[in-house]
Amino acid sequence: VMSNSTASDFDFEKIFNGKDWLHFSGTLAALGPASAELAETALKAAKKHGLTVSCDLNYRKKMWSCKQAQAVMTGLMKYVDILIGNEEDAANALGMSPLNVDITSSDYSVDSYRDLAEAIQRRFNMKYVVMTFRKNLPDRFPSGIDK
């Protein structure tokens, strides 16, 4: 069970030898302080071995508060090359929201997502940030984007 695991349960030297990618979810860190520490240890080892690290923010309010998530997840972002999330995850887990957009409404614009992704990318020095739309917004997609 991951919630009871610690870094000593894993041989990251062996696990990451010859590998090129590690993906993790924010729910791992949300399992508790030991899991957050395990995530950071794994991420440090992954970067030491030259792995690309991707993260799905995947904020879950039943698992932890925004304050707790931000304290942990912003610290883990320095190891992340590719981030996946939506505007609510970014607000809750990173404390970053699209400018001039009420994230609780359905009034979205592609530009606000682009601006948020670029702000996250700059702040944490990431290669890529992928923002997902949580709702079906066919009238919001510019022509050429596959719905």
Side-chain angles (χ1 to χ4, degrees):
V1 175
M2 285 304 294
S3 61
N4 295 326
S5 298
T6 65
S8 64
D9 295 324
F10 300 91
D11 182 352
F12 291 118
E13 294 296 318
K14 186 175 182 180
I15 292 169
F16 294 144
N17 187 35
K19 305 302 185 294
D20 59 359
W21 200 293
L22 173 67
H23 179 79
F24 79 103
S25 169
T27 57
L28 170 62
L31 292 173
S35 295
E37 185 177 320
L38 170 60
E40 184 168 22
T41 301
L43 295 174
K44 284 179 181 177
K47 296 315 288 182
K48 177 183 170 188
H49 284 82
L51 276 68
T52 296
V53 173
S54 60
C55 173
D56 181 348
L57 283 174
N58 205 7
Y59 174 80
R60 296 289 181 257
K61 67 182 175 182
K62 290 183 179 182
M63 296 181 77
W64 56 356
S65 70
C66 293
K67 184 178 178 178
Q68 292 169 312
Q70 289 171 25
V72 172
M73 294 304 290
T74 56
L76 297 180
M77 292 300 104
K78 63 185 162 197
Y79 307 106
V80 174
D81 301 298
I82 301 168
L83 183 69
I84 303 163
N86 61 48
E87 78 289 347
E88 290 179 54
D89 290 340
N92 294 327
L94 303 178
M96 297 179 71
S97 297
L99 298 176
N100 304 315
V101 174
D102 176 3
I103 64 170
T104 63
S105 78
S106 60
D107 185 24
Y108 300 101
S109 77
V110 172
D111 289 338
S112 65
Y113 273 73
R114 184 178 297 113
D115 293 345
L116 176 58
E118 289 172 354
I120 293 170
Q121 188 177 23
R122 281 190 307 274
R123 177 177 173 190
F124 298 108
N125 195 32
M126 294 176 179
K127 291 179 185 175
Y128 302 101
V129 175
V130 179
M131 299 300 299
T132 60
F133 286 94
R134 290 186 56 107
K135 298 178 182 167
N136 185 10
L137 305 170
D139 60 323
R140 304 282 184 210
F141 289 99
S143 61
I145 292 182
D146 186 11
K147 298 174 202 141

